[in-house]
Amino acid sequence: MAKNNIDRLKQPEKNILVVRLSAMGDVAMTVPVLRVFRETYPDVKLTVLTRKFFAPMFSGINNLHVYHADVDGRHKGVFGLRRLSNELHKSGINAVADLHNVLRSNILKTLLSLNGIKTVQIDKGRTEKKALTRSQNKIFAQLKSTHQRYADVFEALGYPIDLKTHTHPKKQSLTPNILSLTQDSTKKWLGIAPFAQYESKTYPLELMVEVIEQLDRGDRFEIFLFGGGKRETDILNNISCKYNNVTNVSGRLQFEDELKLIGNLDAMLSMDSGNAHLAAMYGVPTITLWGVTHPYAGFMPFGQPVENAILPNLVQYDQIPTSIYGNKFPAGYEKVMHSIKPETVVEAINNL
């Protein structure tokens, strides 16, 4: 056997642990990055550490294993993280890309480092983001995208990738459960996700109903409403029952099927929220509505043009963005999203 082949056999399998535990939108943003990594380095195994619920997002990426983090049970607390660290070490990982960089992942990083495993953490750009969101001496400038920050972690591990080479997967086949909702409709399929974590970046429900009314009246779209939890499901049921072309998806599909439906949409209308990133990771044209947050913070859905981001009146509300996630805003900014007219949203959708 040739010497170089013997040396290759001696080398351990390259297995990178990718840590991204939550939240849904942030986990979704890793998917295009990991697709590019896979195409660039097909022989490097990827192990994604995340919550079990998020596992379907990574289907279709070859040589990728999802390791379920039971952070509410088996892996809860410091002792649980020690248990998790031991399990991961035994699995054969030899490098860690920490795309989370929070207390939990910092503890895990320390424990894995004790076993000699190299770890690189994401630079979240906290200083730049603070300058972008402060009210005084604000530095209003486009920051590096979160997708690129993820890519930078892999480069620091010795695996540079070019996100411009990304290609979206083919549309997945629809299951019988999905087809029971879509009814083989030949209209344009439009998803609408009207909720966000914070009210400050949630389009007022009465205005969203106006948008839905106008779109339903045109009879061009089959509209699918997305949400989660009992409260949101009840609201969406009350809306959908009033219109001919509107179907509530919330509570009617498993997450895996919901992703397949999203991937088959012709367009998505979403807040600055997880659903925007779920649609974008499949290459679905995505219109986003922004409140006290702003695309400059780096959370624009992957591959979407800036024209697809509809912003409030920035002259009237000149302190935007007031926070990165929408959890902080000054007095008088409670009705920021009222400055976005329903007609503006409808026109943007029709232009797609």
Side-chain angles (χ1 to χ4, degrees):
M1 183 180 292
K3 182 179 183 301
N4 61 340
N5 287 336
I6 295 176
D7 291 341
R8 190 178 298 117
L9 289 174
K10 291 180 179 178
Q11 296 177 358
E13 179 187 29
K14 297 175 181 177
N15 185 352
I16 297 178
L17 176 71
V18 181
V19 180
R20 183 63 256 191
L21 299 172
S22 59
M24 185 171 69
D26 292 324
V27 176
M29 283 191 285
T30 68
V31 173
V33 179
L34 296 182
R35 288 196 193 115
V36 175
F37 185 98
R38 169 55 56 243
E39 292 299 317
T40 309
Y41 305 100
D43 296 329
V44 179
K45 182 179 178 180
L46 291 171
T47 299
V48 176
L49 178 67
T50 193
R51 295 174 183 267
K52 182 178 181 180
F53 179 80
F54 298 140
M57 295 188 201
F58 302 97
S59 64
I61 303 179
N62 296 326
N63 201 15
L64 181 149
H65 171 66
V66 178
Y67 200 100
H68 301 151
D70 184 13
V71 295
D72 299 315
R74 179 177 174 80
H75 302 136
K76 183 178 182 179
V78 175
F79 293 108
L81 290 173
R82 182 184 296 276
R83 182 180 295 114
L84 175 60
S85 172
N86 292 334
E87 293 171 6
L88 292 170
H89 182 241
K90 292 177 182 177
S91 72
I93 63 164
N94 43 39
V96 177
D98 180 6
L99 308 185
H100 204 174
N101 194 353
V102 295
L103 177 61
R104 185 181 284 124
S105 67
N106 285 333
I107 295 173
L108 186 61
K109 176 197 74 169
T110 301
L111 294 171
L112 291 171
S113 297
L114 294 175
N115 289 312
I117 298 174
K118 181 180 180 180
T119 301
V120 176
Q121 291 183 299
I122 184 175
D123 175 5
K124 292 187 174 182
R126 290 185 173 97
T127 301
E128 307 100 280
K129 289 175 179 176
K130 184 176 181 179
L132 176 65
T133 56
R134 66 194 179 201
S135 58
Q136 302 295 324
N137 301 315
K138 181 188 292 289
I139 301 179
F140 189 64
Q142 176 68 61
L143 304 185
K144 183 182 294 187
S145 75
T146 300
H147 302 94
Q148 186 57 52
R149 292 184 188 276
Y150 290 162
D152 290 347
V153 173
F154 291 108
E155 182 171 4
L157 283 173
Y159 299 93
I161 56 177
D162 183 358
L163 296 180
K164 294 179 182 177
T165 65
H166 177 268
T167 56
H168 288 102
K170 296 180 180 179
K171 292 184 182 297
Q172 299 182 64
S173 299
L174 301 180
T175 65
N177 286 339
I178 300 173
L179 291 171
S180 69
L181 297 181
T182 60
Q183 299 293 320
D184 293 325
S185 173
T186 58
K187 298 176 182 178
K188 293 293 183 181
W189 289 9
L190 171 67
I192 297 181
F195 302 107
Q197 183 177 5
Y198 298 105
E199 188 176 348
S200 63
K201 59 178 188 177
T202 302
Y203 199 50
L205 193 60
E206 66 272 19
L207 298 184
M208 183 59 77
V209 169
E210 288 188 36
V211 170
I212 293 172
E213 284 183 352
Q214 292 186 41
L215 295 171
D216 180 74
R217 196 181 308 131
D219 203 33
R220 294 178 54 202
F221 301 100
E222 199 68 46
I223 301 170
F224 301 97
L225 304 181
F226 293 86
K230 184 180 186 307
R231 174 183 170 275
E232 293 182 5
T233 299
D234 289 344
I235 292 173
L236 298 181
N237 278 332
N238 289 334
I239 294 174
S240 62
C241 69
K242 300 175 183 177
Y243 303 99
N244 294 326
N245 303 308
V246 181
T247 301
N248 177 27
V249 175
S250 179
R252 302 180 68 180
L253 292 175
Q254 296 294 322
F255 186 52
E256 187 172 2
D257 279 353
E258 194 169 306
L259 289 177
K260 290 178 181 178
L261 174 57
I262 290 174
N264 278 273
L265 296 174
D266 293 295
M268 170 68 90
L269 170 64
S270 175
M271 308 301 104
D272 167 27
S273 66
N275 282 287
H277 299 293
L278 293 177
M281 77 183 194
Y282 293 114
V284 175
T286 304
I287 299 290
T288 45
L289 306 183
W290 300 72
V292 299
T293 57
H294 194 281
Y296 275 7
F299 291 94
M300 188 73 182
F302 185 80
Q304 299 297 315
V306 68
E307 294 78 14
N308 285 5
I310 301 179
L311 307 178
N313 187 328
L314 298 184
V315 174
Q316 181 180 358
Y317 300 103
D318 58 0
Q319 291 187 38
I320 291 176
T322 65
S323 67
I324 298 300
Y325 303 109
N327 56 327
K328 299 177 182 178
F329 55 89
Y333 276 58
E334 295 81 2
K335 294 188 176 183
V336 158
M337 296 200 83
H338 283 78
S339 66
I340 300 176
K341 304 301 181 185
E343 292 76 17
T344 302
V345 180
V346 172
E347 181 180 7
I349 294 170
N350 284 327
N351 286 341
L352 283 180

